[in-house]
Amino acid sequence: MVAAGDCVELVGPNGSGKSTLLRTLAGLHSQYRGDFNRVESVYQGHRFGLDELLSPLENLAWFAGLQGQQLDRHHALEALERLGLLAEAHTACHRLSAGQQRRAAIARWLLAAPSLWLLDEPFNALDVQSQTLLNELLQEHCKAGGAVVCATHLKLQVEGKITLGLEPPVEFSL
């Protein structure tokens, strides 16, 4: 059970099922057996999930609209500033570096209502400074009562994290 304040780090080699587990928890797979109580969550997969023709600010407005909400422009600009993207707030995402696009996607989590973040390799494309910031954001989110389940090859620097190791499924052939 993942509770408020928990940060669960999923570790294991490629092919061990980390991404599949996250996608299942997000409700994107229905063909697996078993039961769990799913709550509303923010899911961030390997892709950034941005419309590259829109700016980071326009993407945030689009995501808010998908949730039936109006974008709080002030909070959106604060999130972009925190992530070092204020100067790029109106730049089309296809003009941004991969690290800037990743940070634009992170801004969505900061503004989203769901308190459970399901993150698949969120450190990809981030420089060391941005990785440090992401660890701070994860820590703050959990301390504020949110929860995180994160598949990563980089160790999370979050106090009190729970680490779950996954092993690849064993296959037999005759």
Side-chain angles (χ1 to χ4, degrees):
M1 179 169 142
V2 178
D6 283 351
C7 182
V8 179
E9 173 185 66
L10 301 175
V11 298
N14 292 341
S16 61
K18 300 180 301 292
S19 296
T20 300
L21 175 59
L22 287 174
R23 291 179 57 79
T24 301
L25 293 174
L28 301 174
H29 287 305
S30 61
Q31 68 269 31
Y32 296 101
R33 290 183 282 176
D35 295 312
F36 61 93
N37 293 325
R38 193 175 92 70
V39 297
E40 194 171 337
S41 60
V42 172
Y43 169 74
Q44 179 69 58
H46 290 250
R47 295 189 176 143
F48 301 132
L50 301 170
D51 183 324
E52 292 191 353
L53 296 177
L54 299 178
S55 70
L57 192 58
E58 291 167 330
N59 269 286
L60 293 174
W62 180 63
F63 288 125
L66 288 176
Q67 295 177 336
Q69 300 172 353
Q70 189 77 17
L71 179 68
D72 181 329
R73 188 176 171 86
H74 176 74
H75 284 113
L77 291 172
E78 282 180 342
L80 292 173
E81 182 175 27
R82 176 100 194 262
L83 291 160
L85 289 175
L86 191 56
E88 290 80 16
H90 299 286
T91 302
C93 284
H94 72 87
R95 295 187 173 277
L96 303 178
S97 71
Q100 290 171 319
Q101 288 181 27
R102 171 68 69 182
R103 287 183 280 137
I106 292 169
R108 178 175 59 112
W109 320 340
L110 299 178
L111 299 176
S115 61
L116 175 61
W117 294 353
L118 304 172
L119 310 177
D120 199 352
E121 298 294 346
F123 294 100
N124 284 354
L126 294 180
D127 60 21
V128 173
Q129 181 180 3
S130 296
Q131 290 174 12
T132 299
L133 176 59
L134 178 52
N135 275 303
E136 290 171 10
L137 295 171
L138 296 175
Q139 183 77 54
E140 290 170 13
H141 181 67
C142 292
K143 283 191 175 194
V148 174
V149 179
C150 179
T152 181
H153 289 287
L154 296 176
K155 295 288 184 190
L156 296 179
Q157 304 301 315
V158 176
E159 293 175 28
K161 72 180 177 193
I162 301 163
T163 302
L164 295 177
L166 301 179
E167 295 296 323
V170 177
E171 295 183 26
F172 296 96
S173 60
L174 300 174

